Amino acid sequence: TQLLEQSPQFLSIQEGENLTVYCNSSSVFSSLQWYRQEPGEGPVLLVTVVTGGEVKKLKRLTFQFGDARKDSSLHITAAQPGDTGLYLCAGEGVTTDSWGKLQFGAGTQVVVTP
Amino acid sequence: EAGVAQSPRYKIIEKRQSVAFWCNPISGHATLYWYQQILGQGPKLLIQFQNNGVVDDSQLPKDRFSAERLKGVDSTLKIQPAKLEDSAVYLCASSLLLGSVNTEAFFGQGTRLTVV
């Protein structure tokens, strides 16, 4: 089992501030995904990163995959209350028998207050 | 495109009772997952199907949990008998195909189970 550790566990910020959440592991992943989950809902996929060093941007969200494909970060610029949610990272292993098997981190709960 | 459908949304049962959850995946998705999400934790995979065959059930407590996916479409997850520690949200997800990398899983809204 590949463990994914997310930090911080909880983050509370004011609207307009920036934030970064981290996802770390000692294992290499073929791909890593970020999801956002709102109360009472299932996780919704935000992005998938697959190449070491890859950077993807989704409006005010910037995702980075580490060069060694063991870690990732999510940066939000000028956070808005609508960014509030539980941010989950999920990794897919490098061996063919681990493709399609997503291991999730515990998540970072982000609260953005007006 | 319709998403992953789950029912019921909420269920409250007493310990030692049984309960069943239902999931209808996105049309054409061969892979179906059941996850358990305990409050404050990330989803934990219970069982994974490819069509109507089990791919991975290594983390399913088989003494009380069972799941099936008849005809490779809908799936049911059953708990019998339930324990207090089974209180959680049960999430169903589907993806297009196992065996290809860069899986993108689509989740249903989940069933919140409370065992009292």
Side-chain angles (χ1 to χ4, degrees), chain B residues 44-64:
Chain B
K44 169 191 161 187
L45 180 67
L46 292 175
I47 189 168
Q48 182 174 2
F49 292 93
Q50 172 78 350
N51 296 312
N52 60 350
V54 175
V55 173
D56 184 354
D57 63 357
S58 58
Q59 299 189 83
L60 187 74
K62 299 179 185 64
D63 58 333
R64 298 184 300 107

Side-chain angles (χ1 to χ4, degrees), chain B residues 4-15:
Chain B
V4 176
Q6 289 189 247
S7 67
R9 286 296 310 275
Y10 306 94
K11 191 75 178 178
I12 301 174
I13 61 172
E14 295 183 347
K15 59 183 179 183

Side-chain angles (χ1 to χ4, degrees), chain A residues 33 37 40-41 92 99-100, chain B residues 9 33 37 48 98 102-103:
Chain A
Q33 302 179 355
Q37 185 177 22
E41 302 292 331
E92 188 172 24
W99 289 357
Chain B
R9 286 296 310 275
Y33 312 80
Q37 187 175 25
Q48 182 174 2
L98 183 67
N102 308 336
T103 301

